[in-house]
Amino acid sequence: QVRLGESGGGLVQAGGSLRLSCAASGRTFSYTMGWFRQAPGGEREFVAAISWSGDFTSYADSVKGRFTISRDNAKSSVYLQMNSLKPEDTAVYYCAATARTRTIRAYEYDYWGQGTQVTVSS
């Protein structure tokens, strides 16, 4: 069974940066990895995704140019570098995994972490 655990969240001032990490246990060979977020009172939304080889990445329009997703398969880890953070980025961020390829749809992801809180102050 695949288990995912996020870390790296915290409180940061607007314009600052954070780097989120997600470590996976269990078999994730060829899995697409993604990041989603959920703000208070909001729905879970797509943030970024990356294929196993790294040759495919996708970003939500709201984070393009500011966030970068990457992965290290030798460490079974995926990362989200977040720069130029805005208060509207405040949310719980979730790491997710799927055996499907090139998908950004939440319902196609099979495994989820517990989330890490990111709070951006103004």
Side-chain angles (χ1 to χ4, degrees):
Q1 184 177 8
V2 175
R3 294 181 179 179
L4 306 175
E6 305 96 333
S7 63
L11 176 65
V12 66
Q13 191 177 49
S17 299
L18 283 174
R19 189 190 191 216
L20 305 183
S21 298
C22 174
S25 62
R27 198 176 96 95
T28 58
F29 181 76
S30 295
Y31 277 44
T32 295
M33 303 293 293
W35 287 96
F36 295 78
R37 67 187 183 187
Q38 188 166 15
E43 296 184 352
R44 189 167 298 186
E45 64 176 355
F46 169 76
V47 176
I50 185 168
S51 64
W52 181 80
S53 66
D55 61 353
F56 166 80
T57 57
S58 183
Y59 297 91
D61 289 341
S62 60
V63 306
K64 285 181 179 177
R66 300 189 298 121
F67 291 10
T68 302
I69 189 170
S70 62
R71 67 190 297 166
D72 185 341
N73 290 335
K75 297 180 179 179
S76 297
S77 297
V78 63
Y79 309 96
L80 186 68
Q81 178 66 46
M82 305 185 294
N83 298 327
S84 302
L85 283 162
K86 305 174 181 179
E88 51 262 44
D89 294 318
T90 295
V92 176
Y93 283 70
Y94 297 91
C95 175
T98 177
R100 300 181 65 88
T101 59
R102 300 193 176 204
T103 183
I104 62 172
R105 297 178 288 272
Y107 65 83
E108 292 186 320
Y109 282 77
D110 302 305
Y111 305 99
W112 296 84
Q114 294 300 305
T116 185
Q117 177 71 48
V118 172
T119 302
V120 184
S121 62
S122 60

